[in-house]
Amino acid sequence: MTTAYYDDIADWYEEYASDTSSVYMDRVRSVLADLLGEGPGRCVDLCCGTGAHAAEVRRLGWTPVGVDLSGGQLRHARARLPVARADATALPLATGSVPAAVFVLAHTDMPNYPAAIAEAARVLAPGGRLVHVGVHPCFVGAFADRSEPERIVIDGGYASRKRTVRSWNTSGVRARVGAWHLPLADLLNAVTTAGLRLTQVVENGSAAVPDVLAVQATKPS
Ligand SMILES: C[S@@+](CC[C@H](N)C(=O)[O-])C[C@H]1O[C@@H](n2cnc3c(N)ncnc32)[C@H](O)[C@@H]1O
C-alpha cells in the first residue's frame, strides 16, 4: 500500500474541504453533478477523503460509498458515508459490480493514477459511468505560477511526473502533502487504455484560464 500522506493533515483537510463558503469546492461539486448525472445505484467515491462530496452524490439519487487510503481522512468521512480503507489501485470490490465511480481532486495524490483508472474500469458494470474531476493538468501544478489568475506562467516542470511539494501557494494542500503531475495526454490516454469510452470533457474556472478539468467516461456494454 502506498503512503497515506493525509493522515497528519486530516483535521486541517476536514476544515478546508467542508468550508461552506468555498467557491472553488462549489464549482468542483457543480462539475461533478453535471457529469455524474442522476442515480440510482451505488456510486463509489474513490479517494473520498473526508467525504466532502457525499451529500452531493446522495442528492443526485446515488448511494455513495467511499474508499480512501488514509485512516485520518476516513475518521471524518465515516460520519458522511459508509467507507472502506483501501488502495484505489486494488479495490475490495467485485468486477463489474458498480454502476458509477468518481475521483474528485485525487489524481495528483498518487504515483500511478492510470492504474487507479484501470481498477475503476474493472469494478464498473457494463454501461457504468466514471467521472474524474481534478485540477487542470495544463494550468495547475508546481510548474504553474498562478499568482496572477489572468496570466498563468508555465515552466518546463510540466514534463516532470515526479512528486514535489513545490507550489506557488505556500499554505495550500500541495505545500503540505506534495503532488504528482500527470500531463494531459497521460490522463486522457489512461481513460481510453482502461477500455472506457470518453463521453465528455469539461474545463472550468473562475477566470479565463480554467483551473479544473473533468472527464466523463463510460464502460462499454
Ligand atoms: C485532495 S484529497 C481529495 C479528497 C476528496 N475526494 C475531496 O475532493 O475532498 C486526495 C485523497 O486521495 C487519497 N488517496 C491518495 N492515494 C490514494 C490511493 N492510492 N488509494 C486511495 N486513496 C488515496 C488521500 O488519502 C486523500 O484523502
Side-chain angles (χ1 to χ4, degrees):
M1 198 179 264
T2 37
T3 311
Y5 288 100
Y6 282 74
D7 281 350
D8 291 341
I9 67 149
D11 292 347
W12 175 86
Y13 193 85
E14 162 66 5
E15 262 188 55
Y16 164 78
S18 57
D19 176 1
T20 48
S21 65
S22 167
V23 176
Y24 177 70
M25 277 299 193
D26 276 355
R27 275 200 290 118
V28 163
R29 267 191 281 278
S30 154
V31 171
L32 171 66
D34 285 350
L35 293 194
L36 180 58
E38 294 186 352
R42 247 191 327 164
C43 174
V44 195
D45 185 350
L46 297 160
C47 307
C48 67
T50 55
H53 313 301
E56 183 65 13
V57 171
R58 203 171 276 120
R59 188 187 68 76
L60 292 164
W62 297 97
T63 303
V65 294
V67 172
D68 201 281
L69 202 55
S70 162
Q73 296 277 74
L74 292 177
R75 191 161 39 79
H76 294 286
R78 81 174 36 97
R80 301 187 170 110
L81 75 172
V83 295
R85 182 164 180 262
D87 192 323
T89 63
L91 294 171
L93 293 165
T95 298
S97 61
V98 294
V102 299
F103 284 106
V104 183
L105 302 177
H107 79 277
T108 52
D109 282 292
M110 58 184 78
N112 192 356
Y113 192 59
I117 295 262
E119 183 64 347
R122 178 187 71 76
V123 303
L124 274 181
R129 176 169 288 192
L130 175 71
V131 176
H132 156 101
V133 183
V135 295
H136 200 301
C138 300
F139 308 120
V140 183
F143 53 85
D145 181 344
R146 302 187 56 84
S147 41
E148 283 182 60
E150 296 292 345
R151 187 174 172 275
I152 315 295
V153 180
I154 309 297
D155 68 35
Y158 180 79
S160 170
R161 294 158 174 85
K162 289 190 188 135
R163 179 173 177 268
T164 178
V165 291
R166 191 162 69 89
S167 173
W168 68 277
N169 177 359
T170 52
S171 60
V173 177
R174 297 306 147 196
R176 292 165 203 265
V177 292
W180 281 271
H181 166 57
L182 200 61
L184 179 63
D186 288 20
L187 175 62
L188 299 179
N189 286 333
V191 174
T192 53
T193 301
L196 299 174
R197 193 162 54 84
L198 201 55
T199 40
Q200 203 176 337
V201 178
V202 168
E203 292 179 305
N204 178 283
S206 57
V209 182
D211 58 2
V212 168
L213 181 110
V215 171
Q216 180 201 66
T218 306
K219 183 160 171 172
S221 299

PDB file of all heavy atoms in Angstrom, residues 145-168:
ATOM      1  N   ASP A 145       2.879  29.088 -12.164  1.00  0.00           N
ATOM      2  CA  ASP A 145       2.805  30.203 -11.222  1.00  0.00           C
ATOM      3  C   ASP A 145       1.443  30.866 -11.415  1.00  0.00           C
ATOM      4  O   ASP A 145       1.172  31.464 -12.449  1.00  0.00           O
ATOM      5  CB  ASP A 145       3.938  31.191 -11.515  1.00  0.00           C
ATOM      6  CG  ASP A 145       3.922  32.364 -10.524  1.00  0.00           C
ATOM      7  OD1 ASP A 145       2.895  32.569  -9.844  1.00  0.00           O
ATOM      8  OD2 ASP A 145       4.939  33.071 -10.451  1.00  0.00           O
ATOM      9  N   ARG A 146       0.565  30.704 -10.430  1.00  0.00           N
ATOM     10  CA  ARG A 146      -0.811  31.199 -10.539  1.00  0.00           C
ATOM     11  C   ARG A 146      -1.029  32.461  -9.711  1.00  0.00           C
ATOM     12  O   ARG A 146      -2.163  32.782  -9.368  1.00  0.00           O
ATOM     13  CB  ARG A 146      -1.790  30.101 -10.087  1.00  0.00           C
ATOM     14  CG  ARG A 146      -1.675  28.811 -10.886  1.00  0.00           C
ATOM     15  CD  ARG A 146      -2.781  27.837 -10.513  1.00  0.00           C
ATOM     16  NE  ARG A 146      -4.081  28.425 -10.676  1.00  0.00           N
ATOM     17  CZ  ARG A 146      -4.756  28.471 -11.831  1.00  0.00           C
ATOM     18  NH1 ARG A 146      -4.249  27.932 -12.912  1.00  0.00           N
ATOM     19  NH2 ARG A 146      -5.941  29.044 -11.896  1.00  0.00           N
ATOM     20  N   SER A 147       0.063  33.168  -9.382  1.00  0.00           N
ATOM     21  CA  SER A 147      -0.128  34.336  -8.529  1.00  0.00           C
ATOM     22  C   SER A 147      -0.939  35.436  -9.218  1.00  0.00           C
ATOM     23  O   SER A 147      -1.556  36.253  -8.557  1.00  0.00           O
ATOM     24  CB  SER A 147       1.214  34.863  -8.007  1.00  0.00           C
ATOM     25  OG  SER A 147       2.177  34.824  -9.023  1.00  0.00           O
ATOM     26  N   GLU A 148      -0.965  35.416 -10.566  1.00  0.00           N
ATOM     27  CA  GLU A 148      -1.860  36.329 -11.303  1.00  0.00           C
ATOM     28  C   GLU A 148      -2.843  35.457 -12.081  1.00  0.00           C
ATOM     29  O   GLU A 148      -2.465  34.854 -13.096  1.00  0.00           O
ATOM     30  CB  GLU A 148      -1.071  37.164 -12.315  1.00  0.00           C
ATOM     31  CG  GLU A 148      -0.294  38.311 -11.730  1.00  0.00           C
ATOM     32  CD  GLU A 148       0.401  39.090 -12.841  1.00  0.00           C
ATOM     33  OE1 GLU A 148      -0.283  39.623 -13.734  1.00  0.00           O
ATOM     34  OE2 GLU A 148       1.648  39.124 -12.824  1.00  0.00           O
ATOM     35  N   PRO A 149      -4.104  35.357 -11.634  1.00  0.00           N
ATOM     36  CA  PRO A 149      -5.055  34.417 -12.256  1.00  0.00           C
ATOM     37  C   PRO A 149      -5.258  34.613 -13.759  1.00  0.00           C
ATOM     38  O   PRO A 149      -5.628  33.687 -14.469  1.00  0.00           O
ATOM     39  CB  PRO A 149      -6.366  34.676 -11.500  1.00  0.00           C
ATOM     40  CG  PRO A 149      -5.985  35.397 -10.263  1.00  0.00           C
ATOM     41  CD  PRO A 149      -4.675  36.091 -10.510  1.00  0.00           C
ATOM     42  N   GLU A 150      -5.022  35.824 -14.265  1.00  0.00           N
ATOM     43  CA  GLU A 150      -5.234  36.075 -15.696  1.00  0.00           C
ATOM     44  C   GLU A 150      -3.955  35.848 -16.509  1.00  0.00           C
ATOM     45  O   GLU A 150      -3.935  36.037 -17.720  1.00  0.00           O
ATOM     46  CB  GLU A 150      -5.718  37.520 -15.927  1.00  0.00           C
ATOM     47  CG  GLU A 150      -7.082  37.826 -15.312  1.00  0.00           C
ATOM     48  CD  GLU A 150      -8.226  37.082 -15.999  1.00  0.00           C
ATOM     49  OE1 GLU A 150      -8.031  36.546 -17.103  1.00  0.00           O
ATOM     50  OE2 GLU A 150      -9.316  37.026 -15.395  1.00  0.00           O
ATOM     51  N   ARG A 151      -2.855  35.484 -15.829  1.00  0.00           N
ATOM     52  CA  ARG A 151      -1.583  35.343 -16.542  1.00  0.00           C
ATOM     53  C   ARG A 151      -0.794  34.218 -15.872  1.00  0.00           C
ATOM     54  O   ARG A 151       0.127  34.448 -15.116  1.00  0.00           O
ATOM     55  CB  ARG A 151      -0.809  36.660 -16.468  1.00  0.00           C
ATOM     56  CG  ARG A 151       0.435  36.697 -17.301  1.00  0.00           C
ATOM     57  CD  ARG A 151       1.033  38.110 -17.273  1.00  0.00           C
ATOM     58  NE  ARG A 151       2.339  38.108 -17.916  1.00  0.00           N
ATOM     59  CZ  ARG A 151       3.455  37.779 -17.273  1.00  0.00           C
ATOM     60  NH1 ARG A 151       3.432  37.443 -16.012  1.00  0.00           N
ATOM     61  NH2 ARG A 151       4.608  37.783 -17.936  1.00  0.00           N
ATOM     62  N   ILE A 152      -1.205  32.993 -16.136  1.00  0.00           N
ATOM     63  CA  ILE A 152      -0.555  31.830 -15.534  1.00  0.00           C
ATOM     64  C   ILE A 152       0.752  31.574 -16.288  1.00  0.00           C
ATOM     65  O   ILE A 152       0.757  31.504 -17.518  1.00  0.00           O
ATOM     66  CB  ILE A 152      -1.447  30.564 -15.655  1.00  0.00           C
ATOM     67  CG1 ILE A 152      -2.906  30.875 -15.290  1.00  0.00           C
ATOM     68  CG2 ILE A 152      -0.884  29.415 -14.832  1.00  0.00           C
ATOM     69  CD1 ILE A 152      -3.168  31.260 -13.908  1.00  0.00           C
ATOM     70  N   VAL A 153       1.839  31.433 -15.556  1.00  0.00           N
ATOM     71  CA  VAL A 153       3.143  31.208 -16.196  1.00  0.00           C
ATOM     72  C   VAL A 153       3.554  29.747 -15.983  1.00  0.00           C
ATOM     73  O   VAL A 153       3.677  29.275 -14.857  1.00  0.00           O
ATOM     74  CB  VAL A 153       4.218  32.154 -15.605  1.00  0.00           C
ATOM     75  CG1 VAL A 153       5.564  31.920 -16.286  1.00  0.00           C
ATOM     76  CG2 VAL A 153       3.778  33.613 -15.756  1.00  0.00           C
ATOM     77  N   ILE A 154       3.711  29.040 -17.114  1.00  0.00           N
ATOM     78  CA  ILE A 154       4.047  27.613 -17.077  1.00  0.00           C
ATOM     79  C   ILE A 154       5.542  27.446 -17.324  1.00  0.00           C
ATOM     80  O   ILE A 154       6.081  28.053 -18.238  1.00  0.00           O
ATOM     81  CB  ILE A 154       3.295  26.858 -18.210  1.00  0.00           C
ATOM     82  CG1 ILE A 154       1.796  27.168 -18.191  1.00  0.00           C
ATOM     83  CG2 ILE A 154       3.567  25.361 -18.161  1.00  0.00           C
ATOM     84  CD1 ILE A 154       1.065  26.740 -16.969  1.00  0.00           C
ATOM     85  N   ASP A 155       6.194  26.575 -16.523  1.00  0.00           N
ATOM     86  CA  ASP A 155       7.612  26.330 -16.806  1.00  0.00           C
ATOM     87  C   ASP A 155       7.817  24.880 -17.258  1.00  0.00           C
ATOM     88  O   ASP A 155       6.859  24.102 -17.376  1.00  0.00           O
ATOM     89  CB  ASP A 155       8.500  26.720 -15.608  1.00  0.00           C
ATOM     90  CG  ASP A 155       8.307  25.825 -14.386  1.00  0.00           C
ATOM     91  OD1 ASP A 155       8.069  24.613 -14.553  1.00  0.00           O
ATOM     92  OD2 ASP A 155       8.426  26.345 -13.259  1.00  0.00           O
ATOM     93  N   GLY A 156       9.073  24.531 -17.513  1.00  0.00           N
ATOM     94  CA  GLY A 156       9.390  23.219 -18.077  1.00  0.00           C
ATOM     95  C   GLY A 156       9.069  22.052 -17.166  1.00  0.00           C
ATOM     96  O   GLY A 156       9.113  20.889 -17.595  1.00  0.00           O
ATOM     97  N   GLY A 157       8.714  22.335 -15.912  1.00  0.00           N
ATOM     98  CA  GLY A 157       8.319  21.269 -14.986  1.00  0.00           C
ATOM     99  C   GLY A 157       7.072  20.535 -15.456  1.00  0.00           C
ATOM    100  O   GLY A 157       6.738  19.467 -14.922  1.00  0.00           O
ATOM    101  N   TYR A 158       6.372  21.085 -16.453  1.00  0.00           N
ATOM    102  CA  TYR A 158       5.173  20.411 -16.989  1.00  0.00           C
ATOM    103  C   TYR A 158       5.482  18.979 -17.405  1.00  0.00           C
ATOM    104  O   TYR A 158       4.637  18.094 -17.294  1.00  0.00           O
ATOM    105  CB  TYR A 158       4.611  21.180 -18.195  1.00  0.00           C
ATOM    106  CG  TYR A 158       3.380  20.513 -18.772  1.00  0.00           C
ATOM    107  CD1 TYR A 158       2.142  20.669 -18.153  1.00  0.00           C
ATOM    108  CD2 TYR A 158       3.460  19.690 -19.894  1.00  0.00           C
ATOM    109  CE1 TYR A 158       1.008  20.017 -18.646  1.00  0.00           C
ATOM    110  CE2 TYR A 158       2.331  19.042 -20.394  1.00  0.00           C
ATOM    111  CZ  TYR A 158       1.119  19.211 -19.767  1.00  0.00           C
ATOM    112  OH  TYR A 158       0.012  18.565 -20.244  1.00  0.00           O
ATOM    113  N   ALA A 159       6.708  18.757 -17.875  1.00  0.00           N
ATOM    114  CA  ALA A 159       7.058  17.425 -18.385  1.00  0.00           C
ATOM    115  C   ALA A 159       7.425  16.444 -17.260  1.00  0.00           C
ATOM    116  O   ALA A 159       7.528  15.244 -17.496  1.00  0.00           O
ATOM    117  CB  ALA A 159       8.218  17.547 -19.359  1.00  0.00           C
ATOM    118  N   SER A 160       7.592  16.950 -16.039  1.00  0.00           N
ATOM    119  CA  SER A 160       8.037  16.072 -14.945  1.00  0.00           C
ATOM    120  C   SER A 160       6.850  15.381 -14.280  1.00  0.00           C
ATOM    121  O   SER A 160       5.863  16.011 -13.915  1.00  0.00           O
ATOM    122  CB  SER A 160       8.792  16.890 -13.893  1.00  0.00           C
ATOM    123  OG  SER A 160       9.006  16.096 -12.756  1.00  0.00           O
ATOM    124  N   ARG A 161       6.979  14.076 -14.079  1.00  0.00           N
ATOM    125  CA  ARG A 161       5.912  13.316 -13.438  1.00  0.00           C
ATOM    126  C   ARG A 161       6.264  12.967 -11.994  1.00  0.00           C
ATOM    127  O   ARG A 161       5.594  12.181 -11.350  1.00  0.00           O
ATOM    128  CB  ARG A 161       5.627  12.039 -14.225  1.00  0.00           C
ATOM    129  CG  ARG A 161       5.044  12.331 -15.607  1.00  0.00           C
ATOM    130  CD  ARG A 161       5.253  11.167 -16.546  1.00  0.00           C
ATOM    131  NE  ARG A 161       4.579  11.354 -17.823  1.00  0.00           N
ATOM    132  CZ  ARG A 161       5.097  12.021 -18.850  1.00  0.00           C
ATOM    133  NH1 ARG A 161       6.281  12.585 -18.747  1.00  0.00           N
ATOM    134  NH2 ARG A 161       4.427  12.129 -19.980  1.00  0.00           N
ATOM    135  N   LYS A 162       7.347  13.565 -11.492  1.00  0.00           N
ATOM    136  CA  LYS A 162       7.812  13.237 -10.136  1.00  0.00           C
ATOM    137  C   LYS A 162       7.010  13.982  -9.073  1.00  0.00           C
ATOM    138  O   LYS A 162       6.500  15.074  -9.324  1.00  0.00           O
ATOM    139  CB  LYS A 162       9.281  13.639  -9.994  1.00  0.00           C
ATOM    140  CG  LYS A 162      10.209  12.746 -10.771  1.00  0.00           C
ATOM    141  CD  LYS A 162      11.650  13.036 -10.386  1.00  0.00           C
ATOM    142  CE  LYS A 162      12.581  12.278 -11.305  1.00  0.00           C
ATOM    143  NZ  LYS A 162      13.674  13.102 -11.783  1.00  0.00           N
ATOM    144  N   ARG A 163       6.979  13.425  -7.859  1.00  0.00           N
ATOM    145  CA  ARG A 163       6.298  14.094  -6.741  1.00  0.00           C
ATOM    146  C   ARG A 163       7.124  15.298  -6.296  1.00  0.00           C
ATOM    147  O   ARG A 163       8.340  15.226  -6.222  1.00  0.00           O
ATOM    148  CB  ARG A 163       6.140  13.109  -5.586  1.00  0.00           C
ATOM    149  CG  ARG A 163       5.481  13.706  -4.374  1.00  0.00           C
ATOM    150  CD  ARG A 163       5.179  12.668  -3.319  1.00  0.00           C
ATOM    151  NE  ARG A 163       4.608  13.298  -2.160  1.00  0.00           N
ATOM    152  CZ  ARG A 163       5.325  13.722  -1.120  1.00  0.00           C
ATOM    153  NH1 ARG A 163       6.622  13.533  -1.084  1.00  0.00           N
ATOM    154  NH2 ARG A 163       4.732  14.323  -0.107  1.00  0.00           N
ATOM    155  N   THR A 164       6.409  16.391  -5.999  1.00  0.00           N
ATOM    156  CA  THR A 164       7.091  17.573  -5.467  1.00  0.00           C
ATOM    157  C   THR A 164       6.183  18.298  -4.482  1.00  0.00           C
ATOM    158  O   THR A 164       4.958  18.217  -4.595  1.00  0.00           O
ATOM    159  CB  THR A 164       7.505  18.538  -6.608  1.00  0.00           C
ATOM    160  OG1 THR A 164       8.112  19.691  -6.017  1.00  0.00           O
ATOM    161  CG2 THR A 164       6.332  18.978  -7.446  1.00  0.00           C
ATOM    162  N   VAL A 165       6.794  18.980  -3.519  1.00  0.00           N
ATOM    163  CA  VAL A 165       5.996  19.815  -2.608  1.00  0.00           C
ATOM    164  C   VAL A 165       6.095  21.284  -3.019  1.00  0.00           C
ATOM    165  O   VAL A 165       5.535  22.159  -2.364  1.00  0.00           O
ATOM    166  CB  VAL A 165       6.436  19.661  -1.124  1.00  0.00           C
ATOM    167  CG1 VAL A 165       6.091  18.291  -0.598  1.00  0.00           C
ATOM    168  CG2 VAL A 165       7.908  19.969  -0.951  1.00  0.00           C
ATOM    169  N   ARG A 166       6.782  21.523  -4.128  1.00  0.00           N
ATOM    170  CA  ARG A 166       6.904  22.902  -4.625  1.00  0.00           C
ATOM    171  C   ARG A 166       5.516  23.405  -5.049  1.00  0.00           C
ATOM    172  O   ARG A 166       4.776  22.684  -5.723  1.00  0.00           O
ATOM    173  CB  ARG A 166       7.850  22.886  -5.838  1.00  0.00           C
ATOM    174  CG  ARG A 166       8.295  24.245  -6.323  1.00  0.00           C
ATOM    175  CD  ARG A 166       9.548  24.097  -7.201  1.00  0.00           C
ATOM    176  NE  ARG A 166       9.291  23.444  -8.479  1.00  0.00           N
ATOM    177  CZ  ARG A 166       8.938  24.078  -9.591  1.00  0.00           C
ATOM    178  NH1 ARG A 166       8.791  25.384  -9.597  1.00  0.00           N
ATOM    179  NH2 ARG A 166       8.738  23.413 -10.706  1.00  0.00           N
ATOM    180  N   SER A 167       5.164  24.604  -4.638  1.00  0.00           N
ATOM    181  CA  SER A 167       3.857  25.161  -5.006  1.00  0.00           C
ATOM    182  C   SER A 167       3.901  26.676  -4.918  1.00  0.00           C
ATOM    183  O   SER A 167       4.592  27.230  -4.054  1.00  0.00           O
ATOM    184  CB  SER A 167       2.783  24.622  -4.056  1.00  0.00           C
ATOM    185  OG  SER A 167       1.554  25.272  -4.287  1.00  0.00           O
ATOM    186  N   TRP A 168       3.161  27.341  -5.798  1.00  0.00           N
ATOM    187  CA  TRP A 168       3.110  28.805  -5.725  1.00  0.00           C
ATOM    188  C   TRP A 168       2.370  29.252  -4.460  1.00  0.00           C
ATOM    189  O   TRP A 168       2.596  30.321  -3.933  1.00  0.00           O
ATOM    190  CB  TRP A 168       2.415  29.393  -6.966  1.00  0.00           C
ATOM    191  CG  TRP A 168       0.949  29.068  -7.006  1.00  0.00           C
ATOM    192  CD1 TRP A 168       0.376  27.933  -7.465  1.00  0.00           C
ATOM    193  CD2 TRP A 168      -0.115  29.882  -6.503  1.00  0.00           C
ATOM    194  NE1 TRP A 168      -0.982  27.980  -7.291  1.00  0.00           N
ATOM    195  CE2 TRP A 168      -1.311  29.162  -6.703  1.00  0.00           C
ATOM    196  CE3 TRP A 168      -0.175  31.137  -5.907  1.00  0.00           C
ATOM    197  CZ2 TRP A 168      -2.550  29.669  -6.318  1.00  0.00           C
ATOM    198  CZ3 TRP A 168      -1.424  31.640  -5.523  1.00  0.00           C
ATOM    199  CH2 TRP A 168      -2.584  30.906  -5.738  1.00  0.00           C
TER     200      TRP A 168
END
